[in-house]
Amino acid sequence: MDSQTSQPSQASQSPHTFQVDLRGLVDLLSHHLYSSPKVYLRELLQNAVDAITARRAEQPDAPAAVRLYAEGGTLRVEDSGIGLTESDVHSLLATIGRSSKREDGLQAARSDFLGQFGIGLLACFVVAERIRVVSRSARTPDAAPVEWTATDDGSYTVRTLPHEARPEPGTTVHLVARAGAGEWLTEERVRSLARDFGSLLPYDVRVADEAIAELPAPWDRAHPSPATRRVALARHCHDLFGFTPLDTIDLNVPLAGVRGVAYVLPSAVSPAQRASHRVHLKGMLLTERAEQLLPDWAFFVRCVLDTDSLRPTASRESLYEDETLAAVREALGERIRSWLTGLAAGDPERLAAFLSVHHLGVKSLARHDNEMLRTMLPWLPFETTDGRLSLEEFALRHPVVHFTRTVEEYRQVAPIASAQGIGVINGGYTYDSELVEALPSVRPGTVVSELDADTVTAHLDAVDPAEELALSGFLMAARAKLDPLGCDVVLRAFHPLSVPALHLDDRAARHEQARAEAEDQADDLWAGILGSLRGSAPRARLVLNHLNPLIRRISSLRDPELIGTATESLYGQALLMAQRPLRPADSALLNRAFIGLLEWATHTEPGKDDLR
């Protein structure tokens, strides 16, 4: 191969410039980067505020004013900022991705600026077909004002103007609405957006001479007393979020550059519901939907705060997930945790009111935080056989803290366990069983034990062997009837006397029952596989109460068919008492037993054993 032909041509080594389709880029911005066209006004305010910040870095006494005027589908935004020269215009306004904040002389003050990505005026094309910028530099007072005019087809022109066109340093931006976007440039809409985005800006911002900024921020304003401050913040919460809070929590983290408040929701919400918070960046509203600002367990509050340390994403509509945000999240979570411990120490009534609504959030926190669990032991409510109690109070009453892992298990054993003097906690609700199991770690010496069917049965009184032997025929008939359902029958004596029968099982028994049902319905291959999985798990059991008068009468029956019908009825009634979900076989059994009893009651032959 010829050595000359193997070398790349000089033309192929020449650099090329990317060609940008401005119309396509505007469509990308409006439909993918930004959530709404309203961000155009934030970009205008941001550029104006950054220009003023830049000028004040060099001239601390320089004026700091932003004026907005909307009329007839046009918008004019004036600022007293640093301004631009003709070379600045070519370098900054006409180069997508370039930002004045990267220029020499401003890098040191970069942290004072809102903008970080140099998209700038480009976002205004979302609502405007033409943008005209008239600017005069404060750095070069002798430089003539310059005008930059651009249209959404990607073309622009630049020209210098007479000095009288812009006597003072600063910038004026003129927008002309694009077709169908005129509503975004009405005075009412501009005022609403400016107030929403700029209410915490540190400069004099006005729309048609009406002040927008409401400084100091609501959480920084002085009040005659804590009570009046709480009322004022509650009013602010209602105006902002539409609800009156149970309480307010100050979120002051100076090291992270964060100040604001958290408002406690007045009603319970699902832990899975993502909370949305309002975040201002150096006074400018960044987002109303910051979801990652607080720990997941703090779903019971809504926050509004101002920060100068967190990084925005490219659209400046959410927060960038980095180490700084993680540190701020932890610090804000600590503030909320401190508020809770403060209530526990000094304001139990407010804490009780809070926990009556949001105990789930506190339980979520306490399961990972032993100190919080220790603090909340006297307050967190649990469902128990002694009523609704805290773990602390329940542990003081019972030497062994028994609990169930599911609501169904609790409903099975609660009435009987209570009558036998066994204290049981319902651990079937979210986080409850985890907290009960963690109890010994914060209360040394506490014995915690999961309650199962064997434990309950062991606490029931055994029947005299002679009496049980005399009833062996009845028990055999009853067991034969329930054996196909995977249920044993045992005879015990227990209180309350009004309970004729008790259905007991545990998760292992239910698992084995489900496996057996699947085996019955499977083909030969799967039946063999499921059969090989058969375990030695205990079966469910129907515990008959020998002290109950009805059981005594049924056990004296001599007709095996009637014994079977009565046993099925007792089984079904015990399932209903435990509020267990009924399988199709259980429903069929209940119907069969009910009809069988009706037939027996209406066709009793003289001399035949009966239940009377």
Side-chain angles (χ1 to χ4, degrees), residues 518-578:
E519 180 180 355
D520 290 340
Q521 298 174 7
D523 57 28
D524 293 341
L525 173 61
W526 281 110
I529 294 174
L530 291 169
S532 68
L533 299 176
R534 182 183 296 110
S536 58
R539 296 177 9 131
R541 67 201 67 176
L542 181 68
V543 184
L544 302 180
N545 187 358
H546 188 55
L547 301 179
N548 180 267
L550 177 63
I551 296 298
R552 286 182 174 273
R553 290 199 296 272
I554 293 176
S555 63
S556 65
L557 294 173
R558 296 292 179 265
D559 184 345
E561 184 178 347
L562 185 55
I563 290 176
T565 301
T567 302
E568 287 182 332
S569 300
L570 291 169
Y571 173 82
Q573 188 260 355
L575 286 180
L576 294 175
M577 278 188 60

Side-chain angles (χ1 to χ4, degrees), residues 231 245 341 498:
V231 170
T341 55
S498 59

Side-chain angles (χ1 to χ4, degrees), residues 406-581:
T406 68
V407 174
E408 289 78 10
E409 289 172 356
Y410 177 80
R411 288 171 177 166
Q412 285 182 63
V413 303
I416 307 305
S418 179
Q420 307 305 312
I422 306 172
V424 185
I425 295 176
N426 184 356
Y429 296 113
T430 307
Y431 311 133
D432 282 9
S433 61
E434 297 175 70
L435 293 176
V436 175
E437 288 182 299
L439 191 55
S441 67
V442 296
R443 198 177 186 276
T446 303
V447 179
V448 173
S449 175
E450 182 177 355
L451 190 67
D452 56 22
D454 289 333
T455 305
V456 176
T457 306
H459 279 80
L460 304 181
D461 295 334
V463 177
D464 181 84
E467 291 189 51
E468 187 167 2
L469 181 61
L471 299 176
S472 59
F474 161 74
L475 291 175
M476 287 181 60
R479 287 166 182 157
K481 195 66 176 178
L482 296 187
D483 184 69
L485 297 173
C487 184
D488 290 332
V489 177
V490 297
L491 190 65
R492 293 288 187 273
F494 56 87
H495 293 273
L497 300 179
S498 59
V499 177
L502 175 67
H503 181 272
L504 293 177
D505 66 0
D506 54 24
R507 280 166 295 158
R510 288 195 293 274
H511 175 76
E512 175 63 19
Q513 187 179 62
R515 186 209 59 77
E517 289 178 355
E519 180 180 355
D520 290 340
Q521 298 174 7
D523 57 28
D524 293 341
L525 173 61
W526 281 110
I529 294 174
L530 291 169
S532 68
L533 299 176
R534 182 183 296 110
S536 58
R539 296 177 9 131
R541 67 201 67 176
L542 181 68
V543 184
L544 302 180
N545 187 358
H546 188 55
L547 301 179
N548 180 267
L550 177 63
I551 296 298
R552 286 182 174 273
R553 290 199 296 272
I554 293 176
S555 63
S556 65
L557 294 173
R558 296 292 179 265
D559 184 345
E561 184 178 347
L562 185 55
I563 290 176
T565 301
T567 302
E568 287 182 332
S569 300
L570 291 169
Y571 173 82
Q573 188 260 355
L575 286 180
L576 294 175
M577 278 188 60
Q579 301 182 47
R580 290 286 307 277

Side-chain angles (χ1 to χ4, degrees), residues 256-312:
V258 172
R259 282 193 61 81
V261 289
Y263 294 117
V264 181
L265 291 166
S267 56
V269 294
S270 167
Q273 180 178 328
R274 301 297 295 178
S276 296
H277 310 288
R278 288 176 65 94
V279 178
H280 295 255
L281 178 62
K282 303 178 183 73
M284 182 75 73
L285 179 66
L286 180 71
T287 179
E288 301 172 277
R289 299 184 300 275
E291 295 182 349
Q292 69 273 50
L293 186 65
L294 295 181
D296 290 341
W297 56 261
F299 56 82
F300 51 83
V301 298
R302 296 291 180 269
C303 295
V304 53
L305 55 81
D306 189 23
T307 175
D308 58 17
S309 63
L310 299 178
R311 288 177 57 196

Side-chain angles (χ1 to χ4, degrees), residues 34 37 56 61 216 247 267 269 291 376 419 473 495 538 560:
Y34 296 125
R56 284 206 156 182
D61 296 331
D247 206 350
S267 56
V269 294
E291 295 182 349
M376 290 294 140
H495 293 273

